Amino acid sequence: MIKKFIRKILGVKDQRDATEPTILGPAEHGIDPKNVSSNAIRVTQTLQEAGFKAFVVGGAVRDLLLGVKPKDFDIATDATPEQVKKLFRRAFIIGRRFQIVHVMFGQDLLEVTTFRGNGSDNAPKDEHGRVLRDNSFGPQHEDAARRDFTINAMYYDPATQSVLDYHGGIEDIRAKTLRIIGMPEARYREDPVRMLRVVRFAAKLGFTIEPTTRAPIPVMAPLIDNVPAARVFDEMLKLLLSGHALACLKELRSAGLHHGLLPLLDVVLEQPIGMKFVTLALDSTDSRVKAGKGVSPGFLFASLLWHQVLEKWTAYRAAGEAPIPALHLAADAVLETQTENLALQRRIATDMRDIWAMQPRFERRAGRAPYKLLEHPRFRAGYDFLLLRCQSGELPAEVGEWWTEFYAAEGGDRERLVAAANTREREGGATNGAPKKRRPRRGPRKSSGEGGAAPAAAAGSEE
C-alpha cells in the first residue's frame, strides 16, 4: 500500500497491477500467420484441445509484430509441466530455478512454460535479492507481470490470431522504447542478468532505453558479479551473436556494464589499431550471423581478447622470454583471468589458444613450415584471424596476401611462392647482418602433390 502511494506521488506507473489485457485483432497487430512456426501452432493447438490455455509468448511475439520471422518460439500455458509432458511424445522437463518443458519435433525445440504466479516475494533469494528458485504458478496476468520488458510480455493465440497485451507493449514497440515491467531496482535485484538483456535488446532492435529503466544500471551493475559465471557467459554469447555485436559492446560500455566482463574494452576501443581490429572482427561476425552462417565462439573471444594477449606477449618478450614461450605465458594469463569472469568452456579456450599460437607461424614462410601449417586442423580460423590483423594495420598487408595466394595455389605455384619467400628471407637476413642458420634436410623432399593436398584438409576444418 505504501509502495503504491509513493509510486503515485512520484508519477511512476506500476504496470504489474494490470489484470485485464488489451486484445488486438489481426487488423490491429498486423502479424502474418505465415511467419508462425507450424510446430508452435501444433503445440498450442494440442494444449487447447486438451482444455488448457496456450499462447506463443515473449520474443517470438515481439518479432512477429516487428515483421521479423522468429528463430525460436516459446509457448506459455496454464498446464503444469507434468500435464504438458503427458501430451507430447518427445517432451522433457528441465530446470531447477525455473521448470520448463522442452518439446521436440525432429531437430526443432520449443520451450513450454507454465504461467508463473507472484510468488517471488516468498521465493528463496541470496543476500543481494537475486531469486534462487521459484516454481510457483499462477494466472496469466501474473505471468505477464513476471516477464522482464513490456515488449516481451505479449501473448499470441494462433487459433484466433489475437494478441493479448497487459502492459502497453504494442505502444512501446511502435515508439521503439524498451521499458522494464515494475520497479527497475527490484527487477534488477531479482535477476541482474536483466541489465545485460536491456543492452542486448536495445542494440539489436535499435530501441531507446526508457530513462527510468536505464537510470539504476550504473549503480547496480556490480550485482552481475553475484550471478553464476555460466549464466553470464550464455548471455554474453547471445549478445555477441545477436547480429549487432559492436552496437551491443558499445551499449555495454555506455551503461557501465563491461567492467569484469571485458575490462579492457575501454582501452581497446580507444586505441586506433585495437579499435579497428575489434570493429573488423565484430563486423565480420555480424555479417555471418545475418547471412545465416555459423560463427565460432572461440574465434570471437580470441578476437576480443587478442590485444590483451598482445600486450602481455610484448611484456614477456621484453623481460627476456623467447617469442613462443612468451606467447603461451600471455595466453595462460589472459585465459586464467577471463575464465573466472566468463566461465569460458574448455573447448572454447582451446580454440582460442590454437588461433593465437598459430600467429607467429604465419610469419615463417620458408622451407616446409607453410605446408605444415596448412595441415593444422584449425588453419582456417587462424588464417582468418591473420587477415584481420593485416586489415587492421597490425601486420603488413603483404603477409596476408601471400598466405591468400599460397592457400589458393597448388603444386608448382606453391613451390614458387615458397622459393620467393626464401629469397626474401635470405636478403632480409643479410641486411640485418644476422642471416638465419639453415636447418639440415631430413630425408627426401616431399613432392608438390603432398603439399597440394593440404588445402582440402584445411577447408574441411572450417566452422
Side-chain angles (χ1 to χ4, degrees):
M1 201 68 181
I2 295 174
K3 287 182 179 179
K4 288 185 180 180
F5 177 74
I6 293 173
R7 287 196 291 269
K8 187 175 181 181
I9 295 296
L10 295 176
V12 177
K13 179 184 177 182
D14 187 356
Q15 307 102 322
R16 302 185 84 173
D17 295 335
T19 57
E20 295 298 326
T22 298
I23 301 176
L24 298 94
E28 297 169 283
H29 58 65
I31 288 177
D32 185 351
K34 294 178 183 177
N35 286 335
V36 183
S37 158
S38 59
N39 287 329
I41 294 173
R42 184 175 170 184
V43 170
T44 55
Q45 184 177 356
T46 299
L47 285 163
Q48 289 169 353
E49 287 175 351
F52 300 108
K53 295 180 180 178
F55 301 85
V56 175
V57 71
V61 182
R62 177 198 68 224
D63 290 346
L64 288 168
L65 288 167
L66 290 169
V68 177
K69 189 169 185 176
K71 291 183 179 178
D72 302 302
F73 285 83
D74 294 339
I75 311 298
T77 178
D78 58 352
T80 66
E82 291 76 14
Q83 289 170 329
V84 174
K85 188 175 185 300
K86 288 178 181 177
L87 292 173
F88 300 95
R89 186 171 61 85
R90 296 184 64 203
F92 312 93
I93 298 175
I94 67 162
R96 293 174 61 186
R97 183 169 177 262
F98 298 114
Q99 276 194 341
I100 32 181
V101 181
H102 280 176
V103 178
M104 304 288 297
F105 296 99
Q107 296 300 312
D108 192 12
L109 183 152
L110 289 89
E111 285 192 354
V112 182
T113 58
T114 304
F115 293 150
R116 306 289 173 184
N118 285 334
S120 58
D121 290 341
N122 300 319
K125 300 177 184 177
D126 67 12
E127 64 271 27
H128 305 286
R130 180 172 66 90
V131 175
L132 300 175
R133 187 174 60 260
D134 184 8
N135 283 304
S136 61
F137 306 135
Q140 187 174 12
H141 72 271
E142 290 186 4
D143 182 76
R146 290 284 303 275
R147 296 185 179 272
D148 47 13
F149 309 111
T150 60
I151 63 170
N152 290 340
M154 289 176 282
Y155 302 77
Y156 175 71
D157 182 356
T160 62
Q161 294 185 34
S162 58
V163 170
L164 277 62
D165 179 8
Y166 284 89
H167 300 291
I170 191 74
E171 295 175 9
D172 284 338
I173 279 183
R174 289 168 179 166
K176 294 189 173 183
T177 298
L178 196 60
R179 186 191 315 273
I180 202 163
I181 296 172
M183 301 300 286
E185 295 86 348
R187 304 309 308 278
Y188 294 146
R189 285 194 183 279
E190 288 173 2
D191 187 0
V193 167
R194 286 181 177 134
M195 290 184 277
L196 297 179
R197 287 166 61 81
V198 167
V199 167
R200 175 159 61 91
F201 289 134
K204 178 181 178 180
L205 302 173
F207 280 25
T208 300
I209 301 174
E210 185 266 332
T212 306
T213 300
R214 175 185 277 275
I217 293 177
V219 177
M220 303 186 77
L223 290 177
I224 292 176
D225 295 338
N226 305 314
V227 177
R231 273 200 77 210
V232 176
F233 175 78
D234 286 343
E235 191 58 38
M236 282 296 295
L237 207 52
K238 289 178 185 177
L239 185 147
L240 293 169
L241 298 179
S242 66
H244 301 81
L246 186 60
C248 285
L249 286 187
K250 287 182 175 178
E251 188 65 46
L252 268 182
R253 184 189 185 201
S254 172
L257 286 168
H258 64 285
H259 298 295
L261 299 173
L262 293 171
L264 279 198
L265 190 61
D266 273 326
V267 178
V268 169
L269 294 183
E270 287 170 3
Q271 294 175 348
I273 292 180
M275 174 64 177
K276 190 170 183 182
F277 181 86
V278 170
T279 301
L280 286 167
L282 295 180
D283 281 347
S284 174
T285 298
D286 289 346
S287 297
R288 290 184 67 85
V289 170
K290 290 171 183 174
K293 297 179 180 178
V295 177
S296 161
F299 184 92
L300 191 54
F301 282 103
S303 301
L304 289 174
L305 297 174
W306 170 241
H307 278 78
Q308 188 175 1
V309 172
L310 199 58
E311 182 182 345
K312 291 184 180 296
W313 187 20
T314 303
Y316 281 123
R317 292 175 70 179
E321 287 285 350
I324 302 303
L327 178 56
H328 288 301
L329 287 170
D332 288 344
V334 170
L335 286 173
E336 184 177 348
T337 301
Q338 291 302 328
T339 299
E340 292 176 4
N341 293 330
L342 285 176
L344 288 170
Q345 299 167 6
R346 182 175 296 179
R347 176 181 57 81
I348 293 175
T350 299
D351 289 348
M352 293 165 68
R353 285 181 190 277
D354 287 345
I355 290 168
W356 292 334
M358 272 190 278
Q359 297 313 301
R361 297 178 63 184
F362 282 108
E363 297 182 42
R364 295 164 51 198
R365 291 175 282 163
R368 305 303 300 170
Y371 295 101
K372 290 180 180 178
L373 188 53
L374 275 178
E375 295 170 0
H376 195 293
R378 299 284 297 154
F379 170 80
R380 184 54 195 257
Y383 163 73
D384 288 342
F385 196 86
L386 170 75
L387 295 184
L388 288 179
R389 295 176 67 203
C390 294
Q391 291 168 28
S392 69
E394 184 186 318
L395 288 177
E398 179 270 333
V399 177
E401 291 166 0
W402 187 92
W403 274 99
T404 298
E405 193 173 352
F406 183 76
Y407 182 35
E410 295 182 0
D413 289 335
R414 284 188 174 168
E415 292 199 354
R416 175 182 56 77
L417 287 165
V418 171
N422 278 326
T423 300
R424 280 194 298 272
E425 186 174 300
R426 283 195 297 271
E427 291 173 352
T431 303
N432 295 332
K436 262 192 172 181
K437 291 183 180 179
R438 299 188 63 164
R439 296 176 64 184
R441 287 185 188 168
R442 297 183 180 177
R445 187 169 182 160
K446 292 182 182 178
S447 69
S448 59
E450 290 178 286
S461 68
E462 289 182 57
E463 290 84 16

